[in-house]
Amino acid sequence: MRRTFFTGHLVCLALSLAGEVRAQTRDVDAVPAEHTPSVESAPDAVLDPSPSPAETPVPSSGTVVRGKAPPPPESPERRDPTGAITIIEAAERAGEARDTAELLAGSVGLAVQDTGGYGQSKSLVVRGAASNGVLVFLDGIPLNGAGGMADLSQVPAALVERFEVLRGGAGTRYGSGGLGGAVNIVTRAPSSSARASGEVTYGSWNTALGHVAVTGPLLDGNALVLLHAGRSDGDFAYELDELPAVDNPVTAEARARNDARGGGVLLRYRRRLPGGSRLDVLSELALEDRAIPGTVQNPQSSGRQDLDRLSLGVRWSGLLAGTQASARGFFRRDGLEVTGDLLAAGGPQRHSVGGVELEGRAPLGGSQVLTLTVAASGEQVTDARDAQAASWWRTSVMAMDEWTLFDGVLEVVPSLRLERVGPYWLFSPKLGAMVSLGRGLGLRANAGQSHRAPSFLELYIRQGMLLPNPGLKPERALYADAALVWSSAEEGARWSVTAGGFGALYENLIAYELYPPLAARPYNFDAARVWGVELEAEARPFSWLMASGGYTWLRTQNRLGDPRFYNQPLPYRPRHKWVGRVRAGPDWLNVRTEVLYQASQFVNRTGTRSLPSRTFWSAGASSTFLHGPDVTLSVEVKNLLDARAYDFTGFPLPGRAVYATLAVALDRDSPAVTEEPHASRPPSP
């Protein structure tokens, strides 16, 4: 899908690891490990939704801690048993007036590339891999558009039940594009009890968000309907120093062309079928309209983007001839039209993708389990303005063999995927291992290879001033990681700590170069090296108190032979990131605070221009002051110290902002239950 932010902004979003264009310098959670696998209670995978709370116990968020008992089939840790997986529960962030990108920003190994306030483009960098090297799914439906990047601004937080984040090479399990990892956004699940809820938020810069959801039994199953909408002017004030090297007065400015509005609907249906199998159906429609700001060097006075997305998914899961099996079909269509006095304005562009996936999981004796996946999909992009169109097919076979040895002390998991993407053959092997050291201590490690085939836009379709290059080769990543995990669970309390490191070598990186006079074209460059350290900790000493923290150290090197760039850090990869979070209190009044620090980052390959470091401190409070129906009032202050930061195009990011949220929930089938927000949950061994 075309990501038209014009000129340098467009180019930056298309960048891979090599850097910038020379032309401009969460009702459910993951099932705990001790839960016995069954078809009735098994959640759907990374890459599908989970059961309702009545069906599944709920663990804490944070890094998944695995015990000796196997996790349920189709849980994220079963999809990748040795992977670095983090579960982020949206319910624990209720009332915080945060968008999808902000909910993900606190995770280790992740950095958000943000271009403004509500509705403006937001994407992820994971372990140093560029945004087009990170796969993003909505209940298993791939969201990465034809440009290779998934825009998180188009997935409102109101839809989200939880996030399942896999850090590290994801090519073996999820296919082309998973150089740095994969994120599955699990939407809210339908409930067997009739329930209605709604929420409205209002705050700074005339920002208003809201949603209404109704769920309950329907047609021998359970259904959910959720409607959402939002808008923001985004015209925050900031101070501008046009000549920072000269002692001159600063001028007061207002951020222009930062407005956006959008809305949509989510429909979910779930039904138990004869024999214990289950059918899940999803339909989602999203619409958005936002201004195009351009860049600081080339600001725009007109031009807007109209975006739309239609997603459809059907999944069957159950037992077939004694084998755990699933079958999925999906379809997604993205639309984009740019209007206004812009070079890239013209007719609509459409990106369509649809496919099927069949998976079986069978035990081979008492210590071995084999998983086999076969998938096929087709993609097409059409551009009405230039009467351009391109299409191709993707097919793949994935096999994963899990060996449990020495009475469960050691688990070895080799896997591989053979994939055909358009004209490219891709081979992605992986070897993972996990060792239980006793007393809650464990060690996991992984090594493998992932690929990203060039996108449609990069190969065939001109986009504004970005020209295609049919001669591009796929990017490749060789990666390895290891981590030591410790967890301790006592009655009413839980503690966990994870410390690990990772490294990757990227080859045939795709980056854009100036193509005179004003265009840019992608080319394959040489290589880059990435390595780093990730530290995570979470403490829940009481049911009413939770504290967590995470630190990421990231080192990157451009290995392009050009002496101007050789060994220079890759742009837009901050070396240090730290986040700390505390939430305390019962549901009638709880308070929270979070501090996020991110080091400075270069914005060009020569290491001569950079964005300064930033520290964002947020605080808030929530009170459920009425039950039956439940009524909750929340207040959130973002960027409490009014720290000034900038996006990678040079525009300022929002300063201090205040939001108030009113939420109402009515459950007709059961009495109101007073529950503290962080009640103790079944721990993993």
Side-chain angles (χ1 to χ4, degrees):
M1 175 175 149
R2 188 170 54 181
R3 312 284 174 190
T4 309
F5 288 88
F6 204 69
T7 320
H9 195 175
L10 252 177
V11 176
C12 289
L13 291 178
L15 291 178
S16 75
L17 286 165
E20 105 175 356
V21 183
R22 291 181 186 170
Q24 61 165 68
T25 82
R26 180 201 280 209
D27 277 348
V28 299
D29 192 317
V31 181
E34 80 277 11
H35 185 59
T36 302
S38 72
V39 175
E40 288 296 309
S41 63
D44 300 314
V46 166
L47 287 153
D48 220 330
S50 304
S52 65
E55 299 170 291
T56 304
V58 181
S60 63
S61 64
T63 300
V64 174
V65 180
R66 303 168 180 85
K68 292 183 179 180
E74 301 305 322
S75 60
E77 58 268 39
R78 179 50 62 201
R79 297 279 289 189
D80 196 328
T82 62
I85 298 169
T86 298
I87 306 298
I88 304 170
E89 303 176 45
E92 292 198 343
R93 306 299 183 92
E96 296 189 14
R98 299 192 174 204
D99 61 23
T100 299
E102 290 174 305
L103 294 174
L104 286 165
S107 298
V108 297
L110 275 66
V112 174
Q113 292 184 341
D114 197 336
T115 61
Y118 168 84
Q120 298 300 325
S121 176
K122 297 173 176 64
S123 59
L124 286 177
V125 171
V126 179
R127 287 187 171 179
S131 299
N132 52 20
V134 178
L135 294 173
V136 181
F137 301 87
L138 183 73
D139 286 330
I141 301 173
L143 293 184
N144 293 68
M149 188 199 80
D151 186 353
L152 297 175
S153 71
Q154 297 183 57
V155 184
L159 272 61
V160 181
E161 197 74 65
R162 71 179 185 273
F163 301 93
E164 300 168 342
V165 182
L166 170 63
R167 306 185 308 280
T172 303
R173 209 57 180 95
Y174 304 117
S176 172
L179 297 179
V183 178
N184 187 42
I185 304 172
V186 181
T187 62
R188 297 171 60 171
S191 172
S192 58
S193 60
R195 180 178 176 86
S197 62
E199 183 176 287
V200 61
T201 298
Y202 185 79
S204 300
W205 315 302
N206 200 24
T207 301
L209 312 172
H211 73 266
V212 176
V214 179
T215 184
L218 179 69
L219 300 176
D220 297 324
N222 304 322
L224 168 74
V225 179
L226 188 149
L227 300 171
H228 62 88
R231 67 168 312 278
S232 179
D233 293 338
D235 53 349
F236 57 86
Y238 67 97
E239 294 181 342
L240 176 65
D241 187 351
E242 295 183 349
L243 297 172
V246 179
D247 185 15
N248 65 298
V250 297
T251 59
E253 298 286 343
R255 176 70 191 265
R257 306 202 56 74
N258 192 38
D259 61 293
R261 57 190 176 186
V265 58
L266 171 69
L267 306 175
R268 289 282 308 276
Y269 178 75
R270 173 174 293 166
R271 181 177 177 178
R272 300 292 181 182
L273 301 176
S277 62
R278 193 176 74 191
L279 179 68
D280 287 277
V281 180
L282 174 143
S283 177
E284 187 253 353
L285 174 66
L287 304 171
E288 186 176 349
D289 168 65
R290 62 191 180 200
I292 300 175
T295 67
V296 170
Q297 295 84 5
N298 188 15
Q300 301 302 305
S301 59
S302 66
R304 303 192 69 84
Q305 284 183 319
D306 294 321
L307 306 102
D308 61 80
R309 180 182 67 244
L310 173 64
S311 303
L312 304 171
V314 179
R315 185 176 188 272
W316 173 90
S317 57
L319 291 177
L320 186 64
T323 299
Q324 296 169 357
S326 67
R328 178 203 317 280
F330 69 89
F331 172 80
R332 192 194 83 240
R333 182 175 182 179
D334 295 330
L336 169 65
E337 184 170 7
V338 178
T339 59
D341 188 18
L342 295 174
L343 178 63
Q349 187 180 76
R350 295 288 181 262
H351 173 223
S352 301
V353 57
V356 295
E357 180 186 88
L358 306 176
E359 182 166 295
R361 174 179 165 81
L364 303 178
S367 61
Q368 184 183 6
V369 179
L370 178 65
T371 301
L372 183 66
T373 303
V374 179
S377 62
E379 299 182 61
Q380 183 178 35
V381 175
T382 59
D383 189 332
R385 182 191 62 178
D386 295 326
Q388 292 179 304
S391 63
W392 63 16
W393 285 88
R394 295 176 56 163
T395 58
S396 65
V397 177
M398 192 284 304
M400 182 174 70
D401 198 7
E402 302 173 59
W403 288 83
T404 304
L405 308 173
F406 307 111
D407 295 326
V409 173
L410 173 64
E411 186 173 2
V412 179
V413 186
S415 57
L416 59 87
R417 177 182 291 265
L418 180 62
E419 188 172 15
R420 174 78 171 185
V421 182
Y424 307 106
W425 282 102
L426 308 176
F427 179 65
S428 301
K430 177 184 175 180
L431 177 62
M434 183 166 55
V435 182
S436 175
L437 303 176
R439 296 183 179 275
L441 196 63
L443 177 67
R444 57 167 170 77
N446 303 274
Q449 174 177 271
S450 291
H451 299 270
R452 183 182 82 87
S455 71
F456 274 134
L457 299 181
E458 292 164 333
L459 287 169
Y460 305 124
I461 296 180
R462 175 170 181 162
Q463 182 177 350
M465 290 183 291
L466 297 183
L467 305 179
N469 182 355
L472 291 175
K473 295 181 293 185
E475 298 176 313
R476 183 175 76 138
L478 300 173
Y479 64 89
D481 64 44
L484 192 64
V485 181
W486 173 81
S487 67
S488 176
E490 303 171 358
E491 186 176 354
R494 178 185 174 94
W495 312 78
S496 66
V497 178
T498 302
F502 61 90
L505 174 64
Y506 296 94
E507 299 178 348
N508 287 325
L509 296 172
I510 297 174
Y512 282 75
E513 288 291 340
L514 177 65
Y515 191 86
L518 296 174
R521 170 168 283 170
Y523 294 92
N524 286 110
F525 287 89
D526 193 1
R529 292 192 303 203
V530 175
W531 66 99
V533 174
E534 297 172 343
L535 305 175
E536 291 181 276
E538 183 179 80
R540 296 175 182 262
F542 309 102
S543 62
W544 50 267
L545 177 63
M546 184 276 287
S548 63
Y551 170 73
T552 304
W553 177 80
L554 178 68
R555 184 76 167 90
T556 64
Q557 282 186 336
N558 190 339
R559 304 299 288 179
L560 178 66
D562 191 314
R564 295 173 299 169
F565 314 131
Y566 192 74
N567 278 343
Q568 292 291 341
L570 300 177
Y572 313 114
R573 273 77 171 174
R575 183 168 296 188
H576 303 279
K577 174 190 166 185
W578 179 87
V579 61
R581 175 179 173 83
V582 176
R583 183 164 181 154
D587 69 341
W588 58 268
L589 180 61
N590 64 82
V591 295
R592 57 190 177 267
T593 186
E594 180 179 288
V595 179
L596 173 63
Y597 167 78
Q598 183 173 289
S600 62
Q601 53 187 308
F602 291 110
V603 297
N604 63 354
R605 287 186 286 163
T606 58
T608 57
R609 295 177 55 219
S610 64
L611 295 175
S613 63
R614 60 187 68 172
T615 301
F616 292 148
W617 180 19
S618 300
S622 297
S623 175
T624 301
F625 57 89
L626 183 65
H627 291 282
D630 294 347
V631 181
T632 303
L633 179 64
S634 303
V635 177
E636 180 81 6
V637 183
K638 298 183 184 181
N639 196 359
L640 190 63
L641 302 180
D642 200 27
R644 292 301 170 174
Y646 300 85
D647 65 21
F648 58 86
T649 70
F651 277 121
L653 293 173
R656 184 186 300 113
V658 181
Y659 299 92
T661 300
L662 181 66
V664 180
L666 175 63
D667 192 332
R668 294 186 56 190
D669 292 352
S670 60
V673 178
T674 301
E675 181 182 353
E676 294 182 346
H678 303 292
S680 61
R681 292 160 174 160
S684 298

